[in-house]
Every structure is written in structure tokens, then in C-alpha cells.
Amino acid sequence: MERKQLLDVLGLVRPALASTSLIQVLTHLCFAGEEVLAYNDQIGLSAPLATGLEGAVPGATLLSFLGASRAKEIEFTVGDVELNVRAGGARLKLPLLPPDSFLFQMPDAAKGDVLQVGKDLVAAIKSCLRSVSPDTSVPDQLGVTFIPKKKGVDLYSINGISMSRASVSLPAAPVQRRVVLAAAFCEQLVRLAAPDRRAELVIADDHALLRTRTDVRLFGKLVDVPKPLDFEAQFSEIVPGDLDKTSVEVPTALKLAIERALIIADPSGERAYTRLSVKDGALTLFTKSGRGEVRDRIKTVGHPDVDVQADAQWLKVGCAEFDRVLVTEGAVIFGGGRALYLVATTT
């Protein structure tokens, strides 16, 4: 088979390869005749690939070998306990584990809530990924929360410093219950579904399954959340009802002002917060640390007076992606379209 075609297909499932694991087979690619599969105990990925091979081989080694070759064609030969790979004048021998040693099988399309993954849903999931966290002590932080509404779904995420919300209109309200899709699953969903207008997402009892029009499948366990956070109440408490009137356009000068604040704030070292003061139609940003201090003054006509502190690193994210902003005692609120992004403030 063609080396480039093989690399392209293996690249689709590569994100589900474990880099290291106490369970060795999770670092392997499993070939199952007409498809190839990878699973790292968080997500599983499979893609159609007609090789006729049956068994699992070390994934990173095979991918590195193929990437270090310029051969046009690749030839596989199966021995009793090894796979021989020929690429031009190069030969590679890899240990071959039997198919039943692989600990995972991609489930068939399960019964559950079915969503057509259009561009609006992909954009909403991508928007909420900015506020996820690996902190396992708060399960809500581990992914994107789907909360069903009468005419669609609201998506939420939180990481202790910021919160995100995005609303999507969907026909017939296909999501029937609140679920949390794990961050790793959401990242791969965005990668696979963004260029695919016919991808389908099934939310089953304990997992989610994405299938693309080319029959690439993505599996992920749902995040178990015993005591869900009340996102709707938190947003209602922080975001004013007249946000459209009280917020202002993100000033053009704000992006570079935040970059200058980050130079002093030193995100890689001891963090220093940036003070944001709005008075008499002007926003002042002041940051001071062991590196020095920096002050910027930006015109913000129509913004109410306020004096708070916030983390410039998270402000940078909002400034780059939204067109409206409101600084309050509870949060710096960025908005655009049907999405909101809140960065926590202190006084």
C-alpha cells in the first residue's frame, strides 16, 4: 500500500495512542483486517484501513519508521509473532500481539440521543474547551457540560479561573438529559467534525460515539458527575441582564496592553495579577512584579466605573476571540454571538 495513505489513516487514530502505560497494549495500534484502532483508556479511535492484518503492534515505533522513510510503497509480511515491514530498502521487524490481547472494541451505534454535528455545535464545543481543566477533584471541570433546552442545548465549562457558555439551536431538542463530554473527546470531535458536515454524535448511557461520513469513529466515556454545578444560577448571578447595553466593544488597543501586562506578570513564574480600573471613560491596566511595572490607559466610552484585579493570561484568551467586554466586580465578561466567557476578578 502507499506509504502516504497509510500515514494519513494512522494519523487519524494516533491521538488515541497512549504514550506510556502500565498496560502495554494501550501503546499499540490494533489492525483488524478492514480497520485500525487505538485506545488509551480515555478515548478510542478507529478508521477504515484494508490491510488484512490481525493483531497489535507498537504504534509510536511504526509511525516513526513510516515518517522517516521516503518509500512510495509499504509491504507488510506477518510471521508467527512478528510483523515485518518493508519500505524501499529498509526493513523493520515488530512484535505482533494477537487480536484478543487488545482490551477495547469499538461499540456499534448505540441507542441514545442523536445529534447532527453541524458547524454551530462544533464552534460551541471549541469555544467551551478554553475553560476545561484536568483537576479531577471537580468532575464538572473535566469536560464540556451539555444541558438540554426546549429548542437546542446550552454548553458550559469551568476551570476555577474562567467559565464559558455557548448556546446552540437544534431541531426537536435531541439532547434529553444533562451529560458531560470529556475534554479529550471534545478536542478530537472538533478535529474530526469541523471539516465534515455529515458527522453524527450519539450520546448513550455511559459513553459518546462520533461517526464521520468516512466512517472514522471516536469513542469516549461520559464524565461521571455525582453533584453537578448549577451553571445556570452562577451565570445568572454574575452576568447582568442588560449585558448588551452595558458592555462595550473590545478596544483595539486592549490586546497589546494585555501582552505588555503579561511581560511583567511572568506567567511561568510567580504570578502577578493585573489591576483594571475604569473611571471617567478610560480603562487603566496596571501590573507590578519583581520584573518591574507597566501601566496602560485605554479609552472606553460608556463603560461603568469599576476597580478589580484579574489574571492577564486568561484575559488574553477573551480579547482574542470576542468583540464585547464588560468588567464587573464578579468577572471580566467577554461576549460574542451566542457565547460568553467569564474571567474571575478580585477586588
Side-chain angles (χ1 to χ4, degrees):
M1 69 177 60
E2 290 189 1
R3 181 185 64 87
K4 185 179 183 304
Q5 178 189 8
L6 178 60
L7 267 176
D8 288 345
V9 176
L10 297 184
L12 291 172
V13 304
R14 185 174 195 162
L17 271 177
S19 55
T20 58
S21 177
L22 295 175
I23 305 173
Q24 183 186 23
V25 75
L26 298 185
T27 65
H28 284 47
L29 291 167
C30 183
F31 293 89
E34 299 298 316
E35 70 173 1
V36 62
L37 175 69
Y39 178 66
N40 61 13
D41 202 34
Q42 291 186 320
I43 60 170
L45 276 163
S46 69
L49 183 64
T51 61
L53 293 177
E54 298 281 349
V57 297
T61 304
L62 177 59
L63 283 161
S64 297
F65 176 78
L66 295 174
S69 171
R70 293 185 179 180
K72 185 177 180 180
E73 297 290 330
I74 299 295
E75 180 181 326
F76 289 148
T77 306
V78 179
D80 292 336
V81 291
E82 77 276 340
L83 173 67
N84 297 288
V85 186
R86 178 179 176 180
R91 305 289 189 276
L92 173 69
K93 181 183 289 187
L94 293 173
L96 180 66
L97 300 177
D100 58 8
S101 66
F102 206 68
L103 303 178
F104 175 76
Q105 287 186 337
M106 187 66 69
D108 296 328
K111 293 181 179 179
D113 301 339
V114 180
L115 295 81
Q116 297 301 315
V117 186
K119 63 179 182 180
D120 289 344
L121 183 58
V122 171
I125 293 173
K126 183 178 180 181
S127 176
C128 286
L129 278 171
R130 71 171 66 86
S131 296
V132 298
S133 165
D135 183 359
T136 57
S137 66
V138 185
D140 297 86
Q141 297 188 12
L142 299 176
V144 177
T145 298
F146 281 51
I147 297 180
K149 311 299 288 186
K150 286 185 178 180
K151 297 183 179 180
V153 61
D154 285 348
L155 282 65
Y156 293 90
S157 59
I158 186 171
N159 60 13
I161 301 173
S162 74
M163 292 194 295
S164 293
R165 184 184 77 189
S167 299
V168 181
S169 296
L170 295 171
V175 181
Q176 300 301 314
R177 71 191 198 283
R178 174 176 177 149
V179 295
V180 181
L181 303 187
F185 180 89
C186 291
E187 290 166 359
Q188 296 309 311
L189 183 152
V190 169
R191 177 179 71 98
L192 295 169
D196 187 337
R197 296 187 178 183
R198 293 170 56 189
E200 183 179 84
L201 174 64
V202 178
I203 300 176
D205 289 339
D206 61 355
H207 69 271
L209 187 67
L210 177 79
R211 185 192 296 269
T212 73
R213 69 170 184 263
T214 57
D215 206 27
V216 175
R217 290 180 292 171
L218 167 66
F219 166 90
K221 299 174 184 176
L222 299 180
V223 178
D224 181 28
V225 184
K227 296 181 180 179
L229 295 175
D230 192 342
F231 283 112
E232 292 167 306
Q234 290 190 25
F235 270 77
S236 295
E237 182 179 343
I238 297 172
V239 179
D242 58 350
L243 179 64
D244 290 342
K245 293 181 180 180
T246 53
S247 63
V248 298
E249 289 188 10
V250 174
T252 304
L254 183 58
K255 185 175 182 180
L256 283 178
I258 291 174
E259 291 287 357
R260 290 188 284 271
L262 282 169
I263 293 171
I264 299 301
D266 186 17
S268 62
E270 184 177 351
R271 180 62 51 84
Y273 284 81
T274 296
R275 179 160 292 281
L276 299 96
S277 303
V278 181
K279 189 173 183 180
D280 299 329
L283 166 65
T284 300
L285 289 85
F286 177 72
T287 311
K288 182 177 181 180
S289 74
R291 287 185 167 190
E293 60 182 63
V294 61
R295 187 187 304 269
D296 271 281
R297 184 177 172 85
I298 302 169
K299 197 172 187 180
T300 51
V301 177
H303 193 291
D305 291 355
V306 68
D307 186 10
V308 295
Q309 294 185 91
D311 190 327
Q313 182 178 6
W314 294 95
L315 296 177
K316 178 180 177 179
V317 175
C319 189
E321 300 183 25
F322 293 91
D323 53 19
R324 305 285 297 180
V325 65
L326 176 66
V327 182
T328 73
E329 290 187 358
V332 179
I333 305 168
F334 291 93
R338 302 183 67 185
L340 289 175
Y341 172 63
L342 281 55
V343 179
T345 59
T346 60
T347 56

